[in-house]
Amino acid sequence: MRPDVLNPLFAEIDGLEGVGPKLKKPLGKLGLERVRDVLYHLPERFVVRRAVTDLDDAQVGEQVVVPLTVVEHRASRSPRGPYRVLTRDEPGNICTLTYFGRASYTAKKQLPVGEKRWVAGRLDQYDQMLQIVHPDHVAEESADAMGRMVEPVYRLAEGLTQPRVSSLAEQALERAPSLPEWIEPTTLEREAWPTWREAIAAAHGGEATKARDRLAYDELFANALALMLVRQQNRARKGQALQGDGALRERLQLPFPLTGAQRRSIDEIAGDMAQASPMLRLLQGDVGAGKTVVALEAMLVAVEAGAQAAMLAPTELLARQHFDSLRALARPTGVEIALLTGRDKGRARESILMGLLDGSIDIVVGTHAIFQDTVSYRNLGLVVIDEQHRFGVGQRLMLTQKGRVTPHTLTMTATPIPRTLVLANHGEMEVSRLDELPPGRQAIDTRVLPIDRMDDIAAAVGRHVESGQQAYWVCPMVRESETMDDDLAAAEARYAALKERFGDDVVLVHGQLAPELKDEGMRRFAAGEAKVLVATTVIEVGVDVPNATLMVIEQAERFGLAQLHQLRGRVGRGSEKSTCLLLRSAELSETGKKRLELMKTSQDGFHLAEEDLKLRGGGELLGTRQSGEEGFNIASMEQVTKLIDMANADAKLLVESQGGLDNPHRGEAARIVLYLLQRDWGVQTLRGG
Ligand code: ADP
Ligand code: MG
């Protein structure tokens, strides 16, 4: 239920003046659908202008507001040429206002000869002459009437302008109600933060560090709070204690001894499963650390105790891979393992459903099809979720709330999340870490190359393919909707270019393909029918093709190091030596280069993730917001590092010693912020509780 006070913020964006059907599309592209979205669409930066009367006092490149008298209009002889308006400042300096295209119509109207106008824009020099190209504002009144000297610059989509978005933000701010305070009073006082309403207004108005921090803190606090509530609720749920007798595990004939980390993780998991309250545990292990065996042992514990286990994979291909490797490993135990995906229909599906219901199937592997309403289990005791970063907390919980008894949950991730972020993203869970790789792994030869050596690189791929091996070619895909199409275009263009060279040996796979096509492309590559797989980051998740021993990653600087490491982990899976080529843009800052060089020095995902966090947390690489891996919409990496401990401590205090959502002073406010920030953090599950 939405708290009433939030109704104005959740009104549709059409309610704002000037928003018609035409604007809704570009606004939607930016994720702006409701008034609250506009409020949280914070400026990317600000233009700060200075008022001057004598242009000799201003610097070239400076943003100024200046009174100018119009001298003459000069249209260009060619229709495509610039339209120039000659003006003079008070002391008599000549300044040209230059317009291209349709903008000249506006110029004609706004700048009658002989009149004085206040002009705002960036002062440039052209042919020894001062000029302002496309002034931001032209007004008849003095500088005050020109609006702010500090002007926000918003992220735009095609069809939107800065003044338009500014106007929407102003209207949204007028509608923003005062909200009750959810922040712990001592924190609020110590940090000297403004109220939510003041903060959101200030954040649109200028470089307001405190306001921005408060808004970031809201997000971190709400996140921590939700996770703690989930954890608390989970403890109160009814689960079943599963204590295996080891009979099945004894029969496993693993071709290798388990690593110490694997053994320790298995013990931790079995310890949790022996408790009556449902397990919520994260198994974090670098690519190749051997999570599958750990999961299998956990599932065998469940089966030994007379229950069933289900493993959920994000894609059909991965489900099949898990199924194959689990079946091979578990053969000596005689347990019954089935695969269930959305593709199974008719008799085959019926028979699996029957087996799950009567308990003749012990373990099922599949996509989310295994949690559809039509699927019932005799006694589901354990759910293993692979690569869960695609699932939010709420989704995670929903999966396990099918029966009367909540099954234990083991979530596996290969993302080497730094410690601070584990808490932020998975704080409702206990963590087991596979921090030791199985012995004998080869380091992947990693090189950083500027993109302008493209011909050499394509030739290297050619030689590689001729030698009978396969290669990945990764193009970046960032979250920002505005650039998404460009990225896709880039991947498609690269595919087309490589296709000229390699013909049908190349396949393209990206997130916007229909699932069947995507699976088909992946399948052809996995089967060795295709030699080069051009992909956006969809391949990040778990593909296993041992014969693929070369990986090329374009625009590597746009990825987080942890993500690069994960991508790189797709090669080096067979006995052949593997190579990873990181292509960077020709012009990259020294820090940017240094950051990529780190990839050469370490094969340890956790180390890389921590180093990357330090570099980026230090604020050195702001603006390289990568693929949403931080998991926050408002808080920057820098703010996360700065504020997360505080947010966690305050959330803990509220939940554990101040009555949580039932706190008479701040309980309602806490509900409000959880709703306001609209994340999938299991809030729906809080409602009933
Ligand atoms: P991931 O953690 O990426 O899922 P996998 O479970 O797929 O890793 O394991 C990667 C490879 O390592 C598999 O071929 C697996 O059989 C092997 N492996 C797992 N554990 C060990 C071990 N203790 N010693 C040697 N090889 C192992
Ligand atoms: Mg795996």
Side-chain angles (χ1 to χ4, degrees), residues 7-21 23-24 27 32-36 38 167-168 170-172 174-175:
N7 287 342
L9 294 179
F10 281 81
E12 300 272 333
I13 201 169
D14 325 46
L16 299 179
E17 209 176 299
V19 182
L23 269 197
K24 274 191 90 168
L27 289 170
L32 308 182
E33 287 166 4
R34 292 164 189 275
V35 172
R36 81 162 279 289
V38 179
S167 143
L168 296 181
E170 273 164 33
Q171 294 179 58
E174 276 164 26
R175 298 182 183 206

Side-chain angles (χ1 to χ4, degrees), residues 71-112:
V71 179
E72 189 188 335
H73 283 227
R74 281 189 195 161
S76 166
R77 256 168 255 128
S78 83
R80 290 277 177 98
Y83 187 87
R84 295 204 161 91
V85 180
L86 261 57
T87 65
R88 188 190 302 124
D89 71 2
E90 274 169 22
N93 296 303
I94 294 291
C95 178
T96 311
L97 309 182
T98 306
Y99 294 86
F100 295 93
R102 292 163 148 276
S104 60
Y105 298 120
T106 334
K108 281 179 197 158
K109 267 193 287 178
Q110 286 181 331
L111 295 156

Side-chain angles (χ1 to χ4, degrees), residues 341-495:
T341 68
R343 200 174 279 186
D344 295 303
K345 301 266 151 60
R347 297 277 293 271
R349 182 180 153 85
E350 283 307 310
S351 111
I352 294 173
L353 293 189
M354 204 50 123
L356 290 172
L357 190 60
D358 68 17
S360 55
I361 294 174
D362 302 302
I363 294 175
V364 65
V365 182
T367 52
H368 52 263
I370 61 178
F371 288 108
Q372 274 160 7
D373 284 342
T374 47
V375 184
S376 307
Y377 294 81
R378 192 179 70 83
N379 179 15
L380 182 60
L382 171 68
V383 175
V384 178
I385 305 177
D386 188 21
E387 310 280 10
Q388 85 4 278
H389 60 269
R390 299 204 167 180
F391 302 105
V393 186
Q395 240 176 331
R396 239 149 45 203
L397 289 167
M398 226 124 85
L399 293 177
T400 60
Q401 285 173 347
K402 289 197 53 132
R404 284 164 298 115
V405 176
T406 308
H408 297 287
T409 313
L410 178 66
T411 298
M412 305 197 289
T413 180
T415 312
I417 315 156
R419 283 182 200 280
T420 37
L421 294 188
V422 170
L423 210 60
N425 293 335
H426 312 277
E428 91 276 22
M429 294 188 264
E430 307 295 330
V431 180
S432 292
R433 254 189 180 194
L434 292 180
D435 48 11
E436 179 187 349
L437 286 185
R441 289 287 150 82
Q442 294 188 27
I444 296 160
D445 181 13
T446 304
R447 293 176 219 174
V448 182
L449 300 169
I451 184 98
D452 42 23
R453 290 183 48 193
M454 185 51 78
D455 285 346
D456 295 350
I457 295 156
V461 174
R463 286 192 298 278
H464 189 79
V465 168
E466 271 154 35
S467 79
Q469 298 174 58
Q470 290 163 280
Y472 294 103
W473 191 298
V474 182
C475 301
M477 175 68 91
V478 292
R479 183 178 40 165
E480 272 86 322
S481 46
E482 155 196 44
T483 46
M484 191 116 107
D485 297 344
D486 295 347
D487 283 342
L488 197 53
E492 273 166 353
R494 183 64 67 215
Y495 168 67

